[in-house]
Amino acid sequence: MRGALRGVALGLALAGLAALPAAAAPVRLVTLSGTINPASSDFLQKAIAQTETEGAEALLIELDTPGGLVASTKDIIQAILNARVPVIVYVAPRGAWAGSAGTFITLSAHVAAMAPGTSIGAAHPVGIGGPQGEEKGEGRDYAAEKAENLLAAFIESIAKERERNVEWAVKAVRESVAIAPDEALKLNVIDLVAEDRAELLEKLEGRTVRVEGKERTLTLAGAELRPIEMSPLTRLLHVIASPDVAVLLILAGLLGLYIEFNQPGLFVPGIVGAICLILAMIALQLLPFSWLGLLILLLGLGFLVAEIFVTSYGVLFSLGILCILVGGSMLFRLPAVSDLTVSFWTVLVPAVAALALFAALVIFAVGRTLGRGQTAGVSELIGQVGRTETPLAPDGRIFVRGEYWSARADEPIAAGERVEITAVDGLRVRVRRAPSET
């Protein structure tokens, strides 16, 4: 009897456990801020693959970016469109921006969401003038127009694939329009607005998305968020793969080497400058850059160096500063492959101003040094006055500046008399009788 009761109790317990809802699969979380570059692209692609392998319910990408490289953006979008798990792009936190390349990535997601106080859009390629009111004819930039048309077609195909507002997507590229979350939701640019991650997951509970051509219902309410972190090397590459950081590294590296060349033996400026230039070269391997801009920048540095040795009354110095400004602004302005460029007023101008101030101080100090007479070395002995230790007839020894020297005079001079050095022949000096003291 007791055994039967135990069996019934066990059966009821198992039935109760079976009736309990299954625990939701975890959601992997990626936080991406900064530019879209090869490092961040590789990181996101690996995160998608890892999410697929682990069997997670979805991948949540928390995005805040001003834009990035076209090739890196394309790789990310291709990975999202072909993902075997739902990819949710959430523009957050407040104040975040899905600008330029970020617009493409957000529109390509299975679910696009934004936090209040964020914005999306302004996907027009940098350096390309808008078409409004322009006459197309002579002076037409065919490369820029080609880049604009290609990106417009690209974002149009993405919007169609995700059944989002195609017209607005194209305007974001051609007219650089940008909108806030409420308007983006109204125009069917995004799917929802959420205050935070918890609200986002709740709102997505039960939503149906199409993954690999099949309908899939999301089970996200209360799901555990498991972050995926960048490796230290990837994080370093992500940080330096920014035009602003790259330009600062170049200027800091050149300044460090410039100090070392002018004051050999300090070591620290030279070592720091070399490290900065190595990091800058790594950044230039990640970012597309203009050789013309780099050459103009180096030409500017050459003018600053030349100002030390050539009396140009500031002409070479001014040309050097102008070349550094122009070269720095041109260095990453490549609209066909990237929507990134150097922040002219907030980064380049202050950095060049600091470089100009330091260079002016160096030029002033070195100029004063070159204008002085020699105060060290054998030649500095000429004109010095000493006393004879032995008679000079014509050879003997003299004492001058705390040292004994072999000396020769053109006339006999007795010991203890004052003599003036007129020339230096190896380790022997020529002297003459010094004028009497007054």
Side-chain angles (χ1 to χ4, degrees):
M1 185 67 179
R2 290 181 179 177
L5 290 174
R6 289 175 182 171
V8 171
L10 180 60
L12 291 174
L14 292 174
L17 290 174
L20 292 175
V27 175
R28 300 309 302 243
L29 170 66
V30 166
T31 301
L32 181 63
S33 61
T35 63
I36 303 301
N37 51 63
S40 58
S41 173
D42 182 67
F43 170 61
L44 286 180
Q45 292 177 68
K46 289 181 178 178
I48 293 174
Q50 182 177 339
T51 304
E52 293 173 344
T53 303
E54 295 177 353
E57 181 67 17
L59 173 65
L60 174 58
I61 301 174
E62 199 168 86
L63 184 66
D64 178 15
T65 178
L69 308 185
V70 173
S72 299
T73 304
K74 177 179 175 295
D75 291 339
I76 293 173
I77 292 172
Q78 190 172 16
I80 293 176
L81 293 178
N82 293 282
R84 300 195 302 273
V85 294
V87 177
I88 306 161
V89 173
Y90 179 39
V91 184
R94 293 174 183 268
W97 178 26
S100 206
T103 305
F104 286 76
I105 295 172
T106 304
L107 292 179
S108 69
H110 296 93
V111 178
M114 296 176 67
T118 58
S119 59
I120 185 172
H124 197 251
V126 172
I128 303 177
Q132 299 90 335
E134 292 183 0
E135 293 292 335
K136 295 186 177 182
E138 292 187 7
R140 184 174 174 180
D141 190 342
Y142 288 98
E145 186 178 334
K146 178 181 178 181
E148 181 182 326
N149 291 336
L150 182 61
L151 292 176
F154 187 32
I155 203 169
E156 180 180 357
S157 67
I158 294 170
K160 285 182 178 179
E161 174 68 20
R162 295 305 189 201
E163 298 181 353
R164 297 200 169 97
N165 193 323
V166 175
E167 182 181 354
W168 180 89
V170 174
K171 288 177 66 177
V173 172
R174 295 196 180 278
E175 301 178 21
S176 199
V177 296
I179 52 178
D182 292 339
E183 188 177 359
L185 182 61
K186 181 180 178 181
L187 293 177
N188 189 33
V189 175
I190 61 173
D191 300 306
L192 55 93
V193 177
E195 288 282 347
D196 52 32
R197 297 170 185 170
E199 182 180 332
L200 173 65
L201 296 182
E202 289 179 4
K203 287 186 174 182
L204 290 177
E205 176 66 22
R207 178 182 286 266
T208 301
V209 295
R210 183 174 291 274
V211 180
E212 292 188 305
K214 300 177 182 179
E215 298 292 333
R216 180 166 173 173
T217 302
L218 298 176
T219 306
L220 301 177
E224 179 188 2
L225 286 173
R226 295 182 181 176
I228 300 176
E229 302 290 345
M230 283 187 179
S231 66
L233 177 59
T234 302
R235 189 176 299 278
L236 173 63
L237 295 176
H238 177 58
V239 170
I240 66 175
S242 163
D244 290 341
V245 175
V247 165
L248 291 177
L249 287 173
I250 292 173
L251 294 179
L254 294 177
L255 180 60
L257 295 183
Y258 180 64
I259 296 173
E260 186 65 33
F261 290 150
N262 279 279
Q263 299 291 332
L266 293 179
F267 295 116
V268 174
I271 293 173
V272 173
I275 293 174
C276 289
L277 286 181
I278 290 173
L279 292 175
M281 286 188 288
I282 295 174
L284 293 179
Q285 290 296 314
L286 298 173
L287 295 169
F289 67 96
S290 167
W291 280 104
L292 178 60
L294 183 60
L295 291 175
I296 293 176
L297 195 152
L298 294 176
L299 179 63
L301 183 67
F303 281 138
L304 295 183
V305 175
E307 178 68 30
I308 298 176
F309 305 100
V310 179
T311 304
S312 67
Y313 303 100
V315 174
L316 291 178
F317 181 84
S318 300
L319 284 175
I321 297 302
L322 179 61
C323 286
I324 291 176
L325 278 174
V326 173
S329 64
M330 292 175 56
L331 193 57
F332 298 104
R333 191 172 289 275
L334 300 169
V337 294
S338 168
D339 53 22
L340 298 177
T341 187
V342 179
S343 301
F344 187 80
W345 293 108
T346 58
V347 174
L348 186 60
V349 170
V352 174
L355 177 65
L357 178 61
F358 182 84
L361 292 175
V362 170
I363 291 171
F364 175 74
V366 173
R368 289 186 60 184
T369 300
L370 294 177
R372 292 176 180 174
Q374 187 171 352
T375 58
V378 174
S379 299
E380 187 267 340
L381 288 171
I382 298 176
Q384 295 292 326
V385 176
R387 292 187 179 275
T388 57
E389 285 296 311
T390 64
L392 301 183
D395 295 327
R397 288 197 310 164
I398 67 169
F399 183 79
V400 60
R401 293 186 58 184
E403 298 176 330
Y404 291 100
W405 284 81
S406 297
R408 169 171 289 186
D410 294 332
E411 59 179 332
I413 302 176
E417 294 195 37
R418 299 174 70 250
V419 290
E420 179 184 354
I421 298 175
T422 59
V424 180
D425 297 329
L427 297 179
R428 175 177 293 181
V429 295
R430 288 186 171 274
V431 298
R432 67 184 177 186
R433 198 184 306 275
S436 59
E437 295 179 323
T438 57

